[in-house]
Amino acid sequence: MVNLSATEHQIKCVANFKDLLSTPFQGEVNALCWNRELKGDFSEIIKKVALSGNMIELLPEKLLELQLSEQGQLAREILLNDFKILKENGKIPTLNIIKNYERDDAFPFFPTDVYSFHVDRSPIPADTFLCTYHGASSDILPNLQGTQKILIPKIRTELKKLYDGPEDGFESFLTEYFFDLHYQAKPEAYPINLGIGNLWKLAIDHPESNVLPCLHRAPKENTGEPRLMMIC
């Protein structure tokens, strides 16, 4: 179960996929969670797939080709069903095996990779759906416990050193390079781990949103343990 003690007003739990889709974000709620305890051996699926790089997309056709034990087959059925139901409801799910994401070393004082607390943005109404089936799982952060990095004086000063243009174009520069999407956790912050097997819907920044976008980050991977995650 997800620990809601520090963010009970931000997260709302639902009982099934239908409610996950139909329940709107409102007020302080910008994260919906379908708590699940999944059966099956998801680690077996990871072991059966050759991972030559940092990450690989696992398509349903490839999943069906794997020779699996009974527990592995149970895990596969869950993955295929999640993939199918998301796709049938207009989503574009991607199932990934992740050794690690690429790190952003272009701006050492301000990395903009997914390991930093950030929000997603879309020009049209949309939500982020995700589930971690094996390995380290993502974190979210209550909005009141994070500060937009571009508002931190020291960071803003460094960003202005990077910018070479008219003063009235600085804010556009921050948006163009996605600096405005990233947040720093406050000293008293209490990140909430999303757990294994739970299917989440997170609010993102789009023109018609009535709630704040959900701050989230990818976890530091466990040594020698790739992640198995679906996202759309």
Side-chain angles (χ1 to χ4, degrees), residues 9-230:
H9 301 299
Q10 180 187 359
I11 297 174
K12 183 173 183 178
C13 290
V14 296
N16 51 55
F17 186 78
K18 180 181 178 181
D19 289 346
L20 190 69
L21 279 176
S22 63
T23 303
F25 295 121
Q26 57 185 0
E28 295 180 36
V29 175
N30 62 6
L32 297 177
C33 174
W34 177 17
N35 272 313
R36 308 188 296 180
E37 293 186 12
L38 304 181
K39 297 181 179 179
D41 186 355
F42 293 92
S43 66
E44 182 184 355
I45 291 173
I46 295 174
K47 293 172 184 175
K48 293 282 186 175
V49 178
L51 184 59
S52 56
N54 293 335
M55 181 168 61
I56 187 172
E57 182 178 355
L58 188 54
L59 298 173
E61 307 86 69
K62 181 65 175 179
L63 261 178
L64 289 168
E65 293 174 0
L66 301 178
Q67 298 297 315
L68 301 170
S69 68
E70 183 176 341
Q71 287 300 307
Q73 291 176 44
L74 286 174
R76 175 167 59 191
E77 289 174 10
I78 290 170
L79 293 172
L80 290 172
N81 185 64
D82 283 355
F83 192 97
K84 178 175 179 286
I85 197 169
L86 284 165
K87 195 168 184 180
E88 286 178 345
N89 283 276
K91 313 305 174 184
I92 307 176
T94 301
L95 179 64
N96 292 321
I97 298 176
I98 305 160
K99 183 178 179 182
N100 62 272
Y101 290 106
E102 292 294 330
R103 290 281 189 172
D104 175 21
D105 56 7
F107 308 105
F109 75 96
F110 195 151
T112 56
D113 54 48
V114 295
Y115 295 102
S116 164
F117 277 116
H118 63 282
V119 300
D120 296 331
R121 176 180 290 152
S122 171
I124 60 174
D127 306 301
T128 293
F129 289 79
L130 61 87
C131 178
T132 300
Y133 302 91
H134 183 79
S137 57
S138 304
D139 296 318
I140 63 175
L141 186 71
N143 293 75
L144 290 176
Q145 296 181 18
T147 302
Q148 194 176 21
K149 286 186 175 181
I150 61 172
L151 299 180
I152 298 173
K154 184 177 180 180
I155 292 178
R156 195 171 182 86
T157 297
E158 292 299 316
L159 288 171
K160 285 186 175 181
K161 293 178 182 178
L162 294 176
Y163 177 63
D164 183 21
E167 181 64 28
D168 59 2
F170 182 61
E171 297 299 329
S172 296
F173 160 77
L174 297 177
T175 300
E176 180 182 353
Y177 288 93
F178 310 112
F179 292 119
D180 64 320
L181 299 182
H182 290 263
Y183 289 73
Q184 180 170 294
K186 295 179 180 179
E188 70 279 9
Y190 187 88
I192 302 300
N193 188 263
L194 301 190
I196 300 297
N198 304 318
L199 185 57
W200 289 81
K201 181 171 78 171
L202 307 181
I204 73 173
D205 181 17
H206 65 78
E208 297 181 27
S209 178
N210 295 317
V211 300
L212 293 173
C214 186
L215 312 184
H216 60 285
R217 69 178 176 190
K220 181 179 179 181
E221 296 82 6
N222 299 325
T223 303
E225 185 183 52
R227 303 176 65 205
L228 180 62
M229 184 182 78
M230 192 174 297

